[in-house]
Amino acid sequence: MRIRRELWFGFSLMAIIISVIVIFMPWGNLTNGHLGLLMLALIVVGIMLGFPTAFTLMGMGVFFAWLAYRSVNPDLAVAQVLDLFVQRSYGVMSNDVLIAVPLFVFMGYLVERAALIDRLFRALHLATARVPGSLAVATIVTCAIFATATGIVGAVVTLMGLLAFPAMLKAGYNIKVSAGCVTAGGCLGILIPPSVLLIVYGATAGVSVVQLYAGAFFPGFMLAGLYLGYVIVLAKWKPALMPPLRPEERSVPLSSAMQRLTEYGKHAVAGSLRALRSDSSAVPKRTAFAQFFISLLPLLTIAALLALTYDVATKRAVEVSTAGLELSTGSDGTDSSSQGGGLQEPPADSGGLQEPPAESRGLQESPGEKTQTQGVGAAAGELKETTPELPKPAPAIDQAPTAKTDAVPSTAQAAGRLPTPNWFWITLAICVVVLAIVYALWTWDRLQVFKMLLTSFFPLAILILLVLGSIVFGFATPTEAAAVGAFGGFVLAVVYRSTEHWRAVPQGQPKSQAVGSTLKELGRILKESSFLTAKTSAMVCWLFVGSAIFSAAFALLGGQELVEKWVLSLDMTPLQFMILAQFIIFILGWPLEWTEIIVIFMPIFIPLLPHFNIDPLFFGLLVALNLQTAFLSPPVAMAAFYLKGVAPPHVTLNQIFAGMMPFMAIQVIALVLLYTFPGIGLWLPQVLYK
Amino acid sequence: MQKLLLFIDRLSTLVGHTFSWLIIGLTVLISWEVFSRYVFDNPHAWAFDAMIMLYGTLFMMAGAYTLSVNGHVRGDVLYGFFSPRVQASLDLTLYILFFIPGVVALVWAGYYYAADSWRINEHSNVTAEGPPIYPFKTVIPFAGAILLLQGIVEITRCIICIKQGYWPSRQADVEEVDVDKLKEMVHVTDEDIQKLDAVVVQEQRT
């Protein structure tokens, strides 16, 4: 019976469109503009018939373009259509925005095949064990991170359906809630940059992808945050839906070496130090030191980040700095410490001054210079630790190798610094407090969870942040960042696959086996990812080839003018227009896919925006948020079908749909929030690019 | 007949697979360019043209391959619920109505477009002394021709399907969401899912 209902839905939609055409077309005197509208209505019907959309667009575009040219000069029509078509196609082939599509898609496939999702989920599951609805929270966070890096809805929902869905059901979670988390979380990759949807929108609407990425950053995290908030509140409010985890599900597996280390005290930092000092050989010194070092990583990272912030915040824009010059500020540091023994700031200040050299080099040489920044981090860390206790950081600074360079440029350099802004001290204070809390609670269990996160969560997060950061801060174009991201994805695949193979070698066998099997698998991963990339980019880009001629025909026929005249005659306020536009897109999201909606319908909406004073960038963010619902709205909700494909047989499609509903409601709330407070999306692009 | 169909399928796939490797070339080229620019301070003027050409060739030549594995996006509101015969008749009509005119126009126009480019020995004008661009434009008629060939295969498939009532088989190819492979990746077996079903049944009872 269900199938009938589906057919009815489609048929009635088609019937409505066709009857509207039949009734409202002025059949007596058809102008070209009316032909354009007819074409638009026919394309919706044509797409719903299920023929590959790219070719529907191509065929119709060619035919209607010919009609348009024929009405002007029948003799030249064919030649003109052919010219237009091939030039438009070549335009797609040489489009410098769309070129990022295959690269991001490739990155996604590589990251997916690195197969780190189960580690990621396990680590997050343990990390969130105490939060209400912990498994649901872990699911959404895993989805957000993984979907962001891969952007493949189908694969993310399927994988989470295999990993998180069973875990939640076994823990006694409600089926609907579990299904909702997996499907809604899996779709987050559509919105959170780097997403292919935003590139496609940018290419269609002529909006800078860089600004779109900067703009979509906060709305994306706001949506994820709303999901999390909903789940946590629900778990608190109705614990029966998401019972707390049983102790055995929460226990953190410790390695035998770490178990022995626990004898030296509960606290991991103190314990590992004690183990380092003790004479007993129960625990190898190397292990103890490794634990100690890993424990220090958060401190070092935050110190490095603070130092970098300090450097950026106090640097004069014009300054051209060389490493030698800046290192020499060490001598200046001695001055300041001798002046102000009582003052707290100066020492820290001089500490800050000492750091820039490597940093500014890091800046010049830019991404990928990890070792260097780490080195700085370590240096900064030492300084930060020493400054509160000792009022004279000078000795440490004197060790700087080039500190002997003459003092003249150094003072000029010091004068070149801007005064430290207040917010920096506030941030510093917050960081110190947070670090203090973290280290107060730093038990062995938490250290172990941190280690698990270190091998799953952080590499992905760093990859995403590097790609996004280099785009947003202008170090690289989206294309370049995508390529480097794809390369990074490959590195991830290499690292994760080789460790897996390394561990899989049975005890006593030579480890060299692992090399062969790893290489074989990497070859397979590269091959499969390339083929899939070719298919996906051909799918997206041929759609553009089709729509290029289609939208040209629409413009030639004057359909656009007619639409504009009609919309303006309605005399709507911007708010009404916006609601109408979003509502149409929402409705179109039921039968159509997002690629089709953006490629076919955005060219119609975009020219209307200036009439209502709407920023195309802002409109794009709303559309991206809106199209999230397209994945969750029945009957064509792809996410639901992917989950159904791997769920236990007794989970019905209706249960999954019911589970998705609250999340759809949250999406609508997010849409309203973004519209009411445009700053959520527009603040970052404005700060960075205006 | 089936053999000929599969042969052309394989041809499209071979072309598609061959050109798929360009994505690796593209990734390496751009990564290297970025590295070279920042570390060696040595950007290359031709890099932009090379990128565009790799990308354009990649997706154009993969068009037929994508068609051969049914990878072009379709509106799936009604289509999936039709019987194979209805699907095939619809497809057949629309192939003749939309696909053939569109792609023939592409091949035809692409041929003259590329020929013009060869005649004037056209070079890219993105940078001074840009690389020759006529080979890139030649991609259009070639990609169109393979696509047309594959389209004829698909039309034959439709006819076979209308005759026999079910779709003739396609060759296997790597899939985006391959459930079995994903199961293997996260070490989940069908038995696990069966066991889980008991949990579901129990919860639904309460």
Side-chain angles (χ1 to χ4, degrees):
Chain A
M1 278 332 274
R2 260 189 56 72
I3 287 172
R4 265 290 149 74
R5 213 163 64 213
E6 306 288 356
L7 279 176
W8 274 120
F9 171 77
F11 277 132
S12 45
L13 219 71
M14 253 154 89
I16 291 171
I17 295 169
I18 292 174
S19 55
V20 166
I21 299 175
V22 172
I23 295 167
F24 287 99
M25 274 288 150
W27 290 107
N29 50 348
L30 272 184
T31 64
N32 270 350
H34 290 116
L35 274 183
L37 292 187
L38 180 70
M39 175 171 91
L40 197 62
L42 280 183
I43 197 71
V44 178
V45 175
I47 289 172
M48 281 169 58
L49 288 178
F51 191 66
T53 313
F55 304 116
T56 314
L57 286 167
M58 213 184 266
M60 266 198 194
V62 169
F63 178 67
F64 278 93
W66 175 72
L67 276 187
Y69 278 126
R70 203 193 56 145
S71 67
V72 182
N73 185 347
D75 298 334
L76 284 177
V78 173
Q80 280 175 321
V81 171
L82 291 180
D83 266 359
L84 178 73
F85 185 25
V86 75
Q87 271 166 20
R88 285 303 197 108
S89 309
Y90 183 70
V92 179
M93 282 170 73
S94 52
N95 187 316
D96 60 343
V97 177
L98 285 179
I99 182 174
V101 171
L103 290 164
F104 274 123
V105 170
F106 189 49
M107 167 182 161
Y109 286 126
L110 286 174
V111 171
E112 183 214 325
R113 277 167 171 65
L116 60 134
I117 192 167
D118 53 344
R119 279 170 189 246
L120 183 62
F121 179 64
R122 252 183 296 141
L124 283 170
H125 160 195
L126 291 174
T128 58
R130 280 156 188 269
V131 183
S134 66
L135 275 174
V137 171
T139 304
I140 292 174
V141 176
T142 311
C143 279
I145 295 285
F146 200 68
T148 302
T150 64
I152 316 159
V153 173
V156 178
V157 173
T158 309
L159 280 171
M160 290 310 280
L162 288 167
L163 269 177
F165 196 56
M168 284 192 277
L169 293 184
K170 273 182 210 151
Y173 278 40
N174 180 280
I175 297 175
K176 289 175 191 166
V177 175
S178 317
C181 292
V182 170
T183 46
C187 297
L188 279 172
I190 302 295
L191 177 61
I192 304 178
S195 81
V196 174
L197 183 143
L198 293 172
I199 304 176
V200 172
Y201 178 84
T204 321
V207 179
S208 132
V209 176
V210 180
Q211 293 200 15
L212 278 169
Y213 274 6
F217 194 72
F218 284 118
F221 280 98
M222 176 184 75
L223 188 62
L226 286 176
Y227 286 171
L228 287 179
Y230 165 72
V231 167
I232 293 174
V233 169
L234 192 68
K236 268 274 172 213
W237 183 36
K238 288 185 181 166
L241 291 179
M242 288 176 261
L245 293 182
R246 289 185 291 271
E248 73 263 23
E249 285 166 312
R250 281 205 293 216
S251 70
V252 182
L254 291 182
S255 67
S256 57
M258 278 183 77
Q259 255 155 14
R260 260 173 278 142
L261 272 171
T262 49
E263 290 159 20
Y264 291 94
K266 264 189 181 172
H267 197 273
V269 180
S272 49
L273 274 181
R274 239 172 265 144
L276 271 177
R277 281 209 206 118
S278 74
D279 298 325
S280 81
S281 56
V283 183
K285 290 276 183 276
R286 251 184 65 202
T287 326
F289 181 73
Q291 310 304 333
F292 177 67
F293 180 72
I294 293 171
S295 301
L296 282 188
L297 274 180
L299 177 78
L300 299 183
T301 322
I302 289 186
L305 284 178
L306 277 176
L308 191 72
T309 320
Y310 178 84
D311 183 54
V312 173
T314 58
K315 191 142 101 191
R316 283 260 155 90
V318 214
E319 207 153 54
V320 180
S321 52
T322 60
L325 273 177
E326 279 189 331
L327 265 177
S328 63
T329 48
S331 59
D332 191 66
T334 358
D335 288 347
S336 65
S337 68
S338 58
Q339 285 168 9
L343 285 174
Q344 264 251 292
E345 274 98 293
D349 209 333
S350 71
L353 275 174
Q354 193 267 343
E355 281 135 31
E359 230 105 71
S360 62
R361 251 188 296 143
L363 267 180
Q364 278 162 5
E365 293 172 9
S366 216
E369 292 287 79
K370 260 192 218 140
T371 44
Q372 207 151 36
T373 15
Q374 257 173 21
V376 180
E382 278 167 30
L383 270 168
K384 285 274 142 52
E385 279 178 326
T386 47
T387 34
E389 299 151 21
L390 317 167
K392 41 172 174 101
I397 288 159
D398 280 339
Q399 283 165 13
T402 29
K404 285 164 217 142
T405 7
D406 62 338
V408 185
S410 80
T411 41
Q413 186 64 39
R417 285 274 165 208
L418 295 173
T420 317
N422 267 336
W423 58 260
F424 178 78
W425 299 118
I426 299 170
T427 325
L428 182 70
I430 294 173
C431 288
V432 169
V433 172
V434 170
L435 277 179
I437 296 173
V438 166
Y439 278 108
L441 300 172
W442 198 256
T443 58
W444 290 107
D445 281 0
R446 292 208 170 84
L447 174 62
Q448 177 62 21
V449 171
F450 178 71
K451 271 159 71 181
M452 290 171 77
L453 287 175
L454 206 59
T455 56
S456 57
F457 177 81
F458 288 111
L460 262 190
I462 289 171
L463 179 67
I464 296 168
L465 287 180
L466 271 184
V467 168
L468 272 185
S470 58
I471 296 174
V472 166
F473 292 108
F475 290 119
T477 64
T479 313
E480 289 165 349
V484 177
F487 192 75
F490 179 65
V491 172
L492 277 189
V494 170
V495 171
Y496 282 95
R497 294 293 80 212
S498 51
T499 44
E500 199 109 318
H501 281 280
W502 193 264
R503 280 186 196 158
V505 175
Q507 208 79 49
Q509 304 254 10
K511 289 281 186 191
S512 55
Q513 286 180 347
V515 178
S517 59
T518 313
L519 283 181
K520 218 166 139 194
E521 190 179 0
L522 284 175
R524 202 189 42 125
I525 288 177
L526 268 186
K527 194 175 90 180
E528 286 182 359
S529 305
S530 311
F531 293 172
L532 286 171
T533 306
K535 276 198 279 189
T536 308
S537 11
M539 190 262 277
V540 173
C541 296
W542 275 91
L543 203 60
F544 267 93
V545 172
S547 87
I549 182 68
F550 180 85
S551 54
F554 189 66
L556 278 176
L557 285 170
Q560 187 60 47
E561 277 167 52
L562 216 61
V563 171
E564 267 185 68
K565 227 187 276 167
W566 179 70
V567 171
L568 290 181
S569 75
L570 289 179
D571 204 21
M572 286 185 287
T573 63
L575 177 65
Q576 283 168 330
F577 170 74
M578 196 67 126
I579 292 175
L580 179 74
Q582 296 301 329
F583 182 72
I584 292 175
I585 293 166
F586 180 77
I587 296 291
L588 286 172
W590 287 0
L592 304 183
E593 285 199 35
W594 64 263
T595 35
E596 297 162 335
I597 297 175
I598 291 189
V599 169
I600 302 169
F601 292 95
M602 283 310 118
I604 298 167
F605 282 114
I606 302 294
L608 296 173
L609 298 180
H611 295 303
F612 297 99
N613 270 331
I614 299 170
D615 186 356
L617 167 66
F618 184 53
F619 191 73
L621 299 181
L622 287 174
V623 169
L625 199 53
N626 194 343
L627 285 178
Q628 290 262 312
T629 55
F631 280 88
L632 295 188
S633 51
V636 210
M638 291 180 352
F641 292 102
Y642 284 124
L643 180 60
K644 175 69 185 144
V646 290
H650 276 89
V651 175
T652 63
L653 209 49
N654 279 342
Q655 281 176 322
I656 300 177
F657 282 144
M660 295 187 318
M661 284 305 137
F663 289 94
M664 257 179 91
I666 295 176
Q667 287 171 347
V668 176
I669 293 173
L671 205 56
V672 174
L673 275 178
L674 180 59
Y675 185 77
T676 329
F677 306 105
I680 300 170
L682 295 181
W683 176 75
L684 192 59
Q686 266 161 7
V687 168
L688 288 169
Y689 309 115
K690 296 255 159 77
Chain B
M1 195 64 195
Q2 180 72 11
K3 261 189 187 160
L4 183 68
L5 295 191
L6 282 181
F7 172 73
I8 297 181
D9 269 356
R10 255 184 237 127
L11 181 73
S12 303
T13 308
L14 182 71
V15 172
H17 280 182
T18 313
F19 283 93
S20 296
W21 295 105
L22 290 184
I23 185 64
I24 297 178
L26 188 60
T27 308
V28 172
L29 171 78
I30 301 180
S31 302
W32 173 251
E33 177 62 19
V34 172
F35 188 73
S36 167
R37 187 173 69 214
Y38 278 115
V39 180
F40 300 140
D41 206 6
N42 179 23
H44 303 98
W46 47 264
F48 182 76
D49 278 311
M51 280 179 213
I52 291 289
M53 286 182 192
L54 283 176
Y55 142 79
T57 315
L58 166 70
F59 91 80
M60 285 299 274
M61 294 310 266
Y65 162 51
T66 311
L67 187 64
S68 83
V69 291
N70 199 6
H72 282 289
V73 56
R74 292 171 178 268
D76 209 4
V77 197
L78 299 170
Y79 191 81
F81 302 109
F82 290 145
S83 71
R85 272 220 172 87
V86 181
Q87 288 181 342
S89 341
L90 260 180
D91 274 0
L92 181 63
T93 323
L94 296 181
Y95 267 115
I96 294 169
L97 208 61
F98 292 147
F99 183 89
I100 298 286
V103 179
V104 167
L106 185 70
V107 177
W108 190 264
Y111 173 75
Y112 286 103
Y113 194 57
D116 278 348
S117 182
W118 280 87
R119 198 169 319 120
I120 60 170
N121 191 18
E122 190 181 5
H123 282 239
S124 164
N125 55 7
V126 176
T127 52
E129 294 181 37
I133 208 139
Y134 42 87
F136 184 43
K137 286 191 173 173
T138 316
V139 166
I140 303 176
F142 269 105
I146 305 173
L147 188 61
L148 194 60
L149 208 59
Q150 187 61 42
I152 294 168
V153 172
E154 297 299 318
I155 289 176
T156 326
R157 275 220 170 88
C158 291
I159 295 172
I160 294 178
C161 175
I162 293 175
K163 272 191 188 156
Q164 65 185 19
Y166 57 91
W167 283 105
S169 62
R170 285 181 190 275
Q171 48 172 348
D173 192 57
V174 49
E175 282 173 49
E176 180 175 287
V177 181
D178 186 334
V179 175
D180 291 328
K181 270 201 188 133
L182 292 179
K183 276 180 190 163
E184 200 183 312
M185 191 203 274
V186 292
H187 315 293
V188 173
T189 59
D190 290 331
E191 286 157 31
D192 296 336
I193 298 182
Q194 282 305 325
K195 265 187 229 156
L196 192 65
D197 204 35
V199 180
V200 174
V201 173
Q202 203 181 4
E203 194 194 314
Q204 274 167 351
R205 255 187 226 136
T206 52

